Amino acid sequence: RAVSRRLACGDVEGRLEALFGRVRAIQGKSGRFDMLLCVGNFFGTTAETEWADYQTGAKKAPIPTYVLGANKQESMSYFPDVSGCELAENITYLGRRGLYSGVSGLQIAYLSGTESQDEPAPGYSFSAKDVVELKTSLLSTSNFKGVDILLTSPWPRDVGAFANSPAKIDTKKCGSKLISDLAESIKPRYHFAALEKTYYERLPYRNHTVLQETPQHVSRFIALADVGNSSKKKYLYAFSIVPMRLMDPAELVKQPQDVTENPYRKSQKEGQKMKPPLRAEEEPACQFFFDLNKHQGKKRPSDGKERGSSQPKQAKKPPQPTGPCWFCLASPEVEKHLVVSIGTHCYLALAKGGLLPDHILILPVGHYQSVVDLSSEVVEEVAKYKSALKEFFRSKGKRYVLFERNYRSQHLQLQVVPVPLDHCTSKDIKETFIAQAQEQQIELLEIPEHSDITQVAQPGTPYFYVELDTGEKLFHRIRGRFPLHFGRWVVLASEALLALPQRADWRQCAAGRAEEAAHAQAFRRDFQPFDFALRA
């Protein structure tokens, strides 16, 4: 069985009955888990009485349980063999440091104790030498890509950089720099820690530099609270995981929407601080159909998927949305009165609050986040719609400008805005976008002729993209903040294009449902001779 079901736990502090009672309840409700991984202090000041029953065999852990070693002098007596040993039936001490490989192929790196500056470190601590030796043993293996899980008791220092911050914990001061260095080097898909008596699930972070390094899998850091804490903070974490070595490479490196930069790469962090701020104010995350803020919640995309067969990209189904999506055509949230054409893989819809009555969106029927995520058959149909729209708008004396923002969005929307042919050339449009971008300290680069956006952006890369109906393309890799309605603002505010600054806010441009339906019906009628979907 490829998928492994695991439980991770924070500081047990000797509360074995509370822990194992909770585990039994979870397994009774959700089925059997393969393993329980415990970080932090497994033993506490009240451990002696409960532990005796397990040590003598009077009681047995309900699940194979693996624990880290002591974090303080008084707990060392519970661990008779520093290199790891069975402490009681179904309860195993992993050892001071190393790699545990289960029968499923899952690779679990572990480091016991707290950081020490002394060499050699006390038995309840680790030193820089311990970390170097662990890193060396892992990195020296052939084709090393990372480990599935990393277990440590302390947090890594600076883990909160670029991401959501834990309440009342200063991650710049909390935790171990050595563990940060270890995590940055061995790239765990999941990293569990404890000791701070709180629950914190950091947003996933990248293990590569976008556009400079080959895409790699993301890492997730989860800190767990202490068992039975009075605040009812989360101390048990259930997850499913397929061993890295069994995963399809493309699936392994897929980047979730909420991925951040790597918190441990100091050069990146310093570079971020030195960047001049954008002058444009960042607006709330709105789209033409709906306000994303109403639908975005905290997500933890699961890695627990069966290993996919090695199939060509076009055979893969689109990923499923993690919540309601107002653009997946099958979703009840879609405002279907705005839809004007439906193909096999894509559809056209009028933009809600559009710049003009014939402002159109090209959207995939299935759930894809950006152009670079599309399968080949979807790309092919997008190209057909672009060609049809070019012919349609040219018949009306117009040319189109298309733009996409893959940033703070969940479903691909290609915005297609027509502008009068006699009002501007493709050169005018291109120069207008570049000039406005420079004013906002945005670097818009022209993609070479016959090149494709997939050659400059990997899946998961935030970007802004402009395409003219001549095929000319401009690209900006988003690295920090970005004005969400930049494309709309450039087209509207420029004298060379539409010069309609009063329509900058889409919400003020939205018409009533009856008026929207009438506009859609008129567009549908006019577009019919060019609509290849009707001839299919």
Side-chain angles (χ1 to χ4, degrees), residues 337-338 350 512-525:
H337 68 287
L338 294 170
L350 288 185
R513 187 181 180 91
E515 187 178 349
E516 287 175 338
H519 284 156
Q521 185 177 4
F523 186 97
R524 203 177 295 119
R525 182 188 62 242

Side-chain angles (χ1 to χ4, degrees), residues 63-91:
I63 184 175
T65 302
Y66 295 83
V67 310
L68 294 180
N71 296 299
K72 43 196 174 186
Q73 179 70 48
E74 51 267 37
S75 299
M76 286 186 63
S77 60
Y78 291 103
F79 303 95
D81 187 342
V82 71
S83 61
C85 58
E86 185 178 82
L87 301 179
E89 187 176 0
N90 248 8
I91 302 178

Side-chain angles (χ1 to χ4, degrees), residues 139-150:
L139 298 175
S140 61
T141 58
S142 61
N143 299 318
F144 179 79
K145 295 179 181 177
V147 297
D148 292 300
I149 299 171
L150 171 62

Side-chain angles (χ1 to χ4, degrees), residues 53 365 452 526:
D53 288 337
V365 169
D452 189 80
D526 292 347

Side-chain angles (χ1 to χ4, degrees), residues 268-373:
Q268 286 186 4
K269 189 188 300 184
E270 289 161 4
Q272 289 269 70
K273 289 178 181 176
M274 292 173 65
K275 280 189 181 177
L278 291 175
R279 286 198 296 245
E281 286 297 314
E282 191 165 358
E283 300 177 85
C286 299
Q287 294 298 327
F288 294 120
F289 274 17
F290 70 114
D291 187 340
L292 269 179
N293 281 335
K294 295 176 183 175
H295 299 276
Q296 285 182 330
K298 185 176 179 183
K299 303 181 185 73
R300 176 171 60 86
S302 171
D303 280 312
K305 298 179 181 177
E306 295 284 354
R307 184 190 178 190
S309 58
S310 181
Q311 296 176 345
K313 186 176 181 181
Q314 60 265 34
K316 290 188 176 180
K317 293 181 180 178
Q320 296 302 305
T322 53
C325 179
W326 289 52
F327 298 101
C328 289
L329 190 58
S331 170
E333 283 81 12
V334 169
E335 296 197 45
K336 292 187 170 61
H337 68 287
L338 294 170
V339 175
V340 295
S341 174
I342 302 176
T344 306
H345 306 289
C346 303
Y347 69 100
L348 300 183
L350 288 185
K352 194 174 186 70
L355 305 179
L356 299 164
D358 48 1
H359 175 177
I360 284 288
L361 305 180
I362 304 176
L363 303 136
V365 169
H367 191 76
Y368 293 93
Q369 185 179 326
S370 70
V371 163
V372 297
D373 292 312

